[in-house]
């Protein structure tokens, strides 16, 4: 497995402030775009909650991508490339079959536990590999995710839940209303925890031996990081569905700007993640106006292209 390069680049605070201003502009545009005429009721019930949900989900998923890349020490991983989101979907199908009337919090907890188990399984498989090539690691994650997704689809088909599964597996904010997105505030708290522990995650990303010699409990830090990733993935899937590749694209862009230090990079990752999701939402609402293309679809197209670019750039070239 490739060791993450821990470099630091200096960026002026004004640059981050400019990013925040750009984020605010995108948020205002996203709030104003829509089919219905703008009124206070529409803003309060639908537009503002949708924009807040976009910002929270984008920031949290991007931060999760950064944490996974540090802890796995591979810049190609994120929740949708290691089976985490697929495992969360399997958990949702399982709790729906076992307890159809379970409250939303129970579904979220179940999805988080399944997501944590799926992430742990991925790490176990990777550690069993005799050779840990940089490109091979995410491919194993994609194959594992494919197996989990196939199991989930089989269960959904057998029990006539394909439409329900599709609503979870497609990142769509069109149904976000006041009273139906507040669970996302939980991920904001987890992002704060990630920022407070940023230095520990940076040291843990240097490897077990280095972090242990530095006096850090490597296993505990990894467990905390993976728990944050699993809970965030579960909350986002339960609330708005899957947004693929966001945690892959944003951290790789930020690392070229500010380096691999988590404390320095986390604000950038959060701002850029929210901005990218807002931009995808605006594109999805404008391209086929008055119809909408789900944010997950737009992000999937952009993210898949970026993923392919990274793979081709990192592939060994023949002499």
């Amino acid at each position: 497995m490739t060791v993450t390069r821990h470099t630091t680049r200096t960026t002026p605070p004004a640059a981050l402030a400019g990013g925040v201003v750009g984020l605010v502009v995108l948020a205002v545009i996203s709030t104003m775009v829509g089919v219905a005429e703008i009124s206070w009721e529409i803003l309060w019930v639908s537009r503002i909650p949708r924009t807040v949900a976009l910002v929270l989900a984008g920031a949290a998923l991007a931060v999760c991508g950064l944490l996974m890349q540090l802890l796995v020490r591979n810049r190609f991983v994120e929740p949708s490339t290691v089976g985490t989101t697929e495992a969360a979907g399997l958990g949702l199908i399982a709790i729906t079959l076992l307890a159809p009337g379970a409250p939303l919090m129970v579904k979220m907890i179940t999805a988080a536990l399944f997501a944590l188990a799926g992430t742990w399984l991925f790490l176990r498989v990777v550690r069993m590999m005799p050779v840990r090539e940089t490109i091979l690691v995410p491919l194993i994650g994609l194959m594992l995710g494919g197996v989990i997704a196939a199991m989930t689809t089989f269960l959904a088909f057998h029990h006539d839940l394909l439409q329900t599964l599709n609503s979870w597996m497609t990142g769509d904010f069109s149904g976000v209303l006041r009273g139906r997105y507040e669970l996302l505030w939980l991920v904001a708290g987890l992002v704060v925890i990630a920022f407070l522990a940023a230095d520990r995650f940076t040291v843990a990303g240097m490897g077990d031996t280095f972090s242990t010699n530095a006096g850090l409990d490597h296993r505990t830090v990894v467990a905390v990081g993976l728990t944050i990733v699993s809970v965030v993935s579960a909350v986002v899937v339960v609330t708005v569905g899957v947004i693929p590749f966001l945690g892959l694209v944003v951290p790789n862009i930020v690392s070229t700007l500010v380096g691999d230090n988590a404390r320095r990079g986390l604000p950038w990752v959060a701002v850029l993640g929210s901005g990218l999701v807002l931009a995808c939402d605006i594109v999805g609402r404008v391209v086929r106006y008055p119809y909408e293309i789900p944010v997950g679809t737009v992000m999937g197209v952009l993210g898949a292209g970026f993923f392919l670019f990274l793979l081709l750039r990192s592939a060994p070239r023949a002499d």
Side-chain angles (χ1 to χ4, degrees):
M1 195 180 300
T2 299
V3 178
T4 306
R5 295 174 298 171
H6 293 274
T7 58
T8 301
R9 299 178 179 86
T10 302
T11 54
L16 182 59
V20 173
V21 171
L23 176 62
V24 172
V25 171
L26 287 173
V28 172
I29 295 174
S30 177
T31 304
M32 294 298 114
V33 174
V35 177
E37 294 184 2
I38 297 178
S39 65
W40 172 247
E41 183 178 4
I42 291 295
L43 286 174
W44 179 247
V45 174
S46 176
R47 301 284 181 85
I48 293 177
R50 175 171 180 156
T51 300
V52 172
L54 287 162
V55 171
L56 293 175
L61 288 177
V63 168
C64 282
L66 176 62
L67 292 183
M68 289 208 73
Q69 290 171 21
L70 283 174
L71 299 178
V72 181
R73 302 169 67 194
N74 187 295
R75 67 180 182 276
F76 294 125
V77 299
E78 68 108 30
S80 67
T81 64
V82 301
T84 301
T85 54
E86 289 81 2
L90 178 60
L92 287 174
I93 287 294
I95 192 62
T96 301
L97 294 176
L98 297 174
L104 186 61
M105 184 60 67
V106 173
K107 292 183 178 180
M108 186 275 290
I109 294 173
T110 304
L113 292 175
F114 271 74
L116 186 60
T119 307
W120 177 85
L121 178 60
F122 164 75
L123 292 177
R124 291 290 298 175
V125 172
V126 169
R127 288 170 182 169
M128 292 169 58
M129 293 169 50
V131 179
R132 300 176 184 177
E133 293 289 342
T134 303
I135 298 177
L136 188 59
V137 171
L139 294 182
I140 290 176
L142 289 171
M143 288 187 288
L144 177 63
V147 172
I148 297 174
M151 295 170 54
T152 306
T153 303
F154 173 78
L155 290 174
F157 176 78
H158 188 68
H159 295 278
D160 197 23
L161 291 172
L162 281 178
Q163 187 172 1
T164 302
L165 176 63
N166 183 64
S167 66
W168 286 327
M169 294 294 103
T170 303
D172 187 5
F173 290 79
S174 61
V176 173
L177 299 171
R178 185 165 61 91
R180 295 179 57 183
Y181 82 99
E182 283 77 6
L183 195 61
L184 284 173
W185 285 108
L186 175 62
V187 305
L190 294 174
V191 169
V192 173
I193 293 174
F195 181 78
L196 294 176
D199 292 334
R200 292 178 173 83
F201 290 131
T202 300
V203 175
M206 296 181 181
D208 190 357
T209 302
F210 181 90
S211 56
T212 301
N213 292 336
L216 189 70
D217 188 340
H218 183 265
R219 290 189 175 183
T220 300
V221 174
V222 171
V224 170
L226 295 183
T227 300
I228 291 175
V229 170
S230 300
V231 174
V232 168
S233 300
V235 170
V236 173
V237 170
V238 168
T239 309
V240 296
V242 176
I243 306 176
F245 300 117
L246 180 65
L248 172 74
V249 173
V250 175
N252 277 280
I253 294 175
V254 171
S255 67
T256 64
L257 299 175
V258 301
D260 298 316
N261 183 281
R263 183 170 296 280
R264 186 182 296 272
L266 273 173
W268 281 93
V269 168
V271 170
L272 185 57
S274 297
L276 185 55
V277 172
L278 284 169
C280 290
D281 177 65
I282 294 170
V283 170
R285 295 160 78 177
V286 170
V287 169
R288 295 193 63 208
Y289 186 87
Y291 304 103
E292 286 191 29
I293 301 174
V295 172
T297 301
V298 179
M299 189 64 233
V301 173
L302 295 177
F306 189 81
F307 188 28
L308 181 61
F309 167 75
L310 289 178
L311 290 176
L312 293 176
R313 191 178 66 172
S314 300
R317 298 181 181 180
D319 294 333

